[in-house]
Amino acid sequence: MIEIRQLHKHYETAQGRVEVLKGIDLDVQSGTITAVVGPSGAGKSTLSHCISLLEKPSSGQILVEGKDLSVLSGKELCAERRAIGTIFQNSALLRRMTVAENVALPLRNLGVVHHEMENRVAELLNRVGLADWANSYPGELSGGQRQRVGIARALALRPRLLLSDEATSGLDPESTTQVLELLDSLRTDLGLAIILITHEMDVVRHIADRVAQLDGGRIAEYGELRGLVADPGSVTGSKLLPLRPDLVPAGYDFTLTVAYQAANVDPAWISRLGTEHGARVALLGGSVEAHHEGTLGRVEIGLAGIAAEQAIAVLAGWGLRATPRSQQLLSSVADRAERIEVAV
Ligand code: ADP
């Protein structure tokens, strides 16, 4: 488990002190993936450099399995840094070395004996699905394969935390999927804690367990992916699964945003609203995706023939959290109700 406590980082510049990280708290349990997202200039790279101990934090702690690595220096830092493996956007492989030699580098630097090193490299290449490419050179590989070699190298010293700093940026969709599937299996099979620093919301949605939104050097939002997506007030949630700004379609009474709160929602819930509750349902937009913990989704529907409160209660019983689209729409429902009353 990795605990980051009140991490601060500032730089002294000619213009004075620049506070870049202003008290970051983050816990990443073993076997889970936490994504750190945020706009350009939010402090993501600085946080990444502090976590990988390339830069010393100005204050605060980085605890790996309870041990504070932020206070170490020299030999001790070198030894403890092994607990953290890092992969970057550019896999940074040495072009004149084969794939196997690249993966072996951290082991060689540590003075691991030859046959042990060979066995470990073979095991690592097997793990990342590149056993047949051991004697190839980085230039002969696709971007996704190079990135997987980078992951094998990062795993060489058996880290507890894998830090992925924009590792899928610039990869084509197929390579991105390969890298994400690999990270997914590392989380499960090796019980690694993984921190994913990225600006790609698709990546976050597919793989993260928790999401921290960094803004101006602070964590603006932090929570379970499913919880953020289900929370209509969450800015991060709406970036993860954006919805169209829409109005109630003609012939329908109101619209609901419906988020998958339970992991095992019946996929036929829309038709069940009709068959079991006599509602008319219009599908207006949304996204439903497979996630390793079950389906993740947020869908926008228009409804008629059912009261809003009843629809919300029925959906809650099926593991779905429904929220009226906005106050404006709520008041338009109220308006209509008033008009109906007047007409009666
Ligand atoms: P991000 O990766 O989210 O785009 P960065 O961590 O690169 O953000 O930068 C956050 C802020 O910190 C920026 O305003 C940047 O100018 C400032 N910054 C980063 N490194 C330094 C440095 N070495 N000296 C001064 N300011 C820096």
Side-chain angles (χ1 to χ4, degrees):
M1 168 166 177
I2 315 302
E3 298 156 87
I4 297 170
R5 293 273 172 271
Q6 277 303 300
L7 192 74
H8 286 259
K9 178 70 184 173
H10 63 253
Y11 296 101
E12 301 294 348
T13 69
Q15 286 74 40
R17 178 177 285 199
V18 183
E19 302 272 352
V20 179
L21 300 178
K22 302 169 185 166
I24 303 290
D25 289 303
L26 212 57
D27 285 350
V28 186
Q29 306 280 345
S30 303
T32 68
I33 298 183
T34 292
V36 176
V37 299
S40 180
K44 300 186 296 299
S45 306
T46 307
L47 179 61
S48 162
H49 295 158
C50 287
I51 296 173
S52 59
L53 307 170
L54 291 173
E55 293 208 47
K56 215 173 169 59
S58 306
S59 64
Q61 295 180 305
I62 298 170
L63 302 156
V64 179
E65 314 292 2
K67 184 160 191 175
D68 186 3
L69 305 194
S70 64
V71 295
L72 303 178
S73 55
K75 265 198 179 145
E76 224 183 343
L77 176 62
C78 275
E80 296 297 337
R81 192 181 266 159
R82 284 179 222 149
I84 300 170
T86 310
I87 45 172
F88 301 99
Q89 176 168 6
N90 174 345
S91 52
L93 303 180
L94 297 176
R95 303 200 141 264
R96 287 169 195 272
M97 285 191 178
T98 64
V99 162
E101 286 165 344
N102 266 287
V103 174
L105 262 181
L107 299 163
R108 193 181 297 273
N109 292 342
L110 207 64
V112 173
V113 292
H114 189 72
H115 77 275
E116 263 183 40
M117 190 160 70
E118 277 196 334
N119 289 344
R120 179 82 180 124
V121 169
E123 183 189 319
L124 287 162
L125 287 178
N126 207 25
R127 166 90 251 174
V128 301
L130 292 174
D132 296 341
W133 297 80
N135 297 317
S136 305
Y137 286 86
E140 299 171 79
L141 306 184
S142 71
Q145 288 173 320
R146 279 201 292 275
Q147 206 50 290
R148 284 190 279 152
V149 178
I151 294 174
R153 190 179 52 188
L155 295 176
L157 302 180
R158 305 184 194 278
R160 299 306 309 138
L161 169 70
L162 186 65
L163 174 69
S164 162
D165 189 348
E166 297 286 3
T168 51
S169 299
L171 291 183
D172 59 76
E174 200 182 325
S175 301
T176 298
T177 305
Q178 285 176 4
V179 170
L180 294 183
E181 280 173 359
L182 178 57
L183 292 179
D184 195 15
S185 72
L186 296 177
R187 155 178 54 196
T188 315
D189 301 349
L190 303 185
L192 277 180
I194 300 180
I195 296 183
L196 209 67
I197 297 198
T198 183
H199 66 280
E200 298 171 306
M201 287 301 191
D202 280 353
V203 165
V204 176
R205 205 168 55 222
H206 277 113
I207 200 171
D209 298 295
R210 299 176 73 83
V211 186
Q213 166 89 31
L214 198 61
D215 212 345
R218 289 197 170 84
I219 292 188
E221 262 192 294
Y222 181 34
E224 302 274 340
L225 175 74
R226 185 174 295 281
L228 291 173
V229 166
D231 179 356
S234 164
V235 175
T236 312
S238 61
K239 283 186 188 146
L240 284 164
L241 281 183
L243 291 174
R244 290 183 306 152
D246 215 337
L247 294 173
V248 181
Y252 289 85
D253 297 334
F254 58 94
T255 61
L256 294 177
T257 297
V258 182
Y260 286 50
Q261 203 158 37
N264 57 345
V265 168
D266 180 355
W269 64 270
I270 291 186
S271 62
R272 284 178 66 189
L273 277 175
T275 52
E276 295 175 22
H277 298 279
R280 223 151 36 78
V281 191
L283 180 59
L284 304 176
S287 173
V288 180
E289 301 199 8
H291 184 257
H292 77 107
E293 282 182 332
T295 316
L296 184 74
R298 202 158 52 157
V299 171
E300 186 190 342
I301 54 173
L303 282 167
I306 188 169
E309 299 71 29
Q310 189 196 348
I312 290 168
V314 164
L315 291 167
W318 295 343
L320 294 153
R321 176 175 170 176
T323 321
R325 274 307 296 278
S326 68
Q327 261 342 100
Q328 191 193 341
L329 294 182
L330 264 185
S331 55
S332 88
V333 174
D335 271 3
R336 197 171 306 128
E338 247 175 50
R339 272 187 271 122
I340 292 166
E341 264 179 31
V342 170
V344 168

